[in-house]
Amino acid sequence: MARSAERTLILLVDAARPEAEAIEAAARLVRAGRLVAFPTETVYGLGASALDAGGVAAVFRAKGRPPRNPLIVHVEGAAAARRVTANWPESAGRLAERFWPGPLTLVLPRGSAVPDAVTGGGDTVAVRAPSHPVARALLAAAQLPIAAPSANRSQRLSPTRAEHVARDLFGRVALILDAGPCPGGMESTVIDLTTVPPRILRPGPILARDLGEEVGAVEGPPAFAARRGAPLKGPGMLRRHYAPRTRLDCAPTGEAAAHAAEQAARGLRVALLTIGASPAIGDVRRVQMPSDAVRYAARLYDVLHALDEEGLDRIVAELPPDEDAWAAVRDRLARASSAR
């Protein structure tokens, strides 16, 4: 029998001091197997109880997410993380002590309480402790781990505002907690601690050099996600991901402007993302992005969401430097511009 559309409620909450009544309403829904979208310090997440296979399955349905693509299990801290993992190595303890709560996801051997759906059928689980006050309040009120990918349809842009969530998932989620824009604006770093040396599966706000200070040498992201059909160890590893509806092309500095001008000369409506100031280029819509990697990351999805609403034919992005500080931005631009 076809499922009826969800009645979606949007509640405004204070980002720093979330109202207890709203948080408890969200916690009741999570405990009942319903879906709740909530802000983290990175992007908005689409949450369900990580111990409820039915609720987790609803997350995959709402997103249209491939079943082999695992979810991140959000917890209050290391003690809660131990309850959903089969092993908690010293490296996990060091990383959690330094970076939790915060935008770091640890991939560890999966605990027996975690349903297959959470891990994509794999034998590892991705866990993190978010730092956003709303996310932490929800975890404390629900008193259970919450599985939460980004609150958007699969492969589309991650949401950094509640209106982005509503645009994609209204009628598919019971409640959206609207606490304004997410401060970080880009998904967490994911590191696999089941390999020697540890491997970064998805670049993010926590840089490779910072991780290396705690666990020694770390390897970079794999060139390919996994063999076709095999479970993935972490989220964000698909070749195409985090993509606007508008076609996005990437080009090195010095070539991006020429590429944008060429597309505009063909009669296309084009926007050009530049790093810092750039000269005017005919009819090309220029968007000056910050020259600082952290501020660029915080703005990227918000800018792409806005450009998507303008009905453009093409977005051209100037690639940032191939440096550790810019690794997450380069990764997201590359996946957003993969072959369509």
Side-chain angles (χ1 to χ4, degrees):
M1 186 174 71
R3 292 171 55 87
S4 60
E6 183 76 86
R7 179 179 177 272
T8 298
L9 176 66
I10 300 176
L11 289 179
L12 294 174
V13 293
D14 189 288
R17 298 177 181 82
E19 294 80 359
E21 184 178 352
I23 294 299
E24 182 52 42
R28 285 196 301 269
L29 288 169
V30 170
R31 291 193 295 266
R34 307 279 293 284
L35 304 186
V36 172
F38 62 95
T40 75
E41 70 277 19
T42 58
V43 300
Y44 273 77
L46 178 62
S49 167
L51 307 181
D52 180 350
V56 172
V59 170
F60 280 85
R61 286 195 302 269
K63 285 179 64 72
R65 187 180 179 94
R68 73 180 184 126
N69 196 4
L71 309 182
I72 293 176
V73 175
H74 292 68
V75 295
E76 290 190 77
R82 287 172 179 266
R83 293 193 284 273
V84 295
T85 58
N87 183 34
W88 186 257
E90 182 183 350
S91 57
R94 290 199 300 271
L95 291 172
E97 183 175 1
R98 177 170 172 183
F99 298 112
W100 280 7
L104 179 64
T105 296
L106 310 179
V107 174
L108 294 161
R110 162 189 168 187
S112 59
V114 180
D116 285 347
V118 171
T119 68
D123 57 4
T124 58
V125 63
V127 293
R128 92 171 180 99
S131 63
H132 196 291
V134 174
R136 297 196 64 74
L138 177 58
L139 286 163
Q143 285 295 289
L144 46 76
I146 295 178
S150 56
N152 55 283
R153 295 287 285 169
S154 183
Q155 298 190 348
R156 293 184 185 170
L157 288 171
S158 294
T160 58
R161 298 176 182 269
E163 51 263 41
H164 301 159
V165 180
R167 194 177 300 148
D168 254 10
L169 296 179
F170 198 87
R172 295 172 180 268
V173 55
L175 174 64
I176 301 172
L177 293 174
D178 180 355
C182 298
M186 192 164 285
E187 303 84 0
S188 64
T189 302
V190 179
I191 184 169
D192 183 4
L193 296 180
T194 68
T195 64
V196 180
R199 179 188 286 276
I200 295 173
L201 300 182
R202 179 177 71 186
I206 307 300
L207 305 183
R209 64 170 179 264
D210 300 321
L211 297 169
E213 290 173 359
E214 301 299 327
V215 297
V218 296
E219 292 188 348
F224 300 99
R227 68 183 184 277
R228 192 174 185 84
L232 303 175
K233 278 194 167 184
M237 297 178 66
L238 297 174
R239 187 180 296 274
R240 175 162 169 75
H241 214 355
Y242 314 119
R245 298 187 302 275
T246 309
R247 174 170 168 169
L248 186 147
D249 296 341
C250 295
T253 301
E255 298 179 21
H259 181 65
E262 178 185 346
Q263 301 304 311
R266 294 172 49 206
L268 301 183
R269 296 185 62 209
V270 182
L272 172 64
L273 303 189
T274 66
I275 301 173
S278 69
I281 309 169
D283 294 330
V284 172
R285 162 120 152 69
R286 289 177 303 144
V287 180
Q288 181 178 327
M289 299 293 287
S291 55
D292 171 78
V294 173
R295 290 189 296 119
Y296 188 114
R299 282 199 63 201
L300 179 60
Y301 290 150
D302 204 29
V303 166
L304 292 179
H305 274 288
L307 292 176
D308 250 353
E309 294 304 299
E310 293 187 19
L312 299 168
D313 300 303
R314 192 70 48 89
I315 301 170
V316 178
E318 182 180 80
L319 280 172
D322 189 6
E323 300 170 358
D324 190 24
W326 288 95
V329 171
R330 288 178 63 92
D331 174 82
R332 302 313 190 273
L333 289 173
R335 294 182 192 277
S337 61
S338 293
R340 293 162 186 268

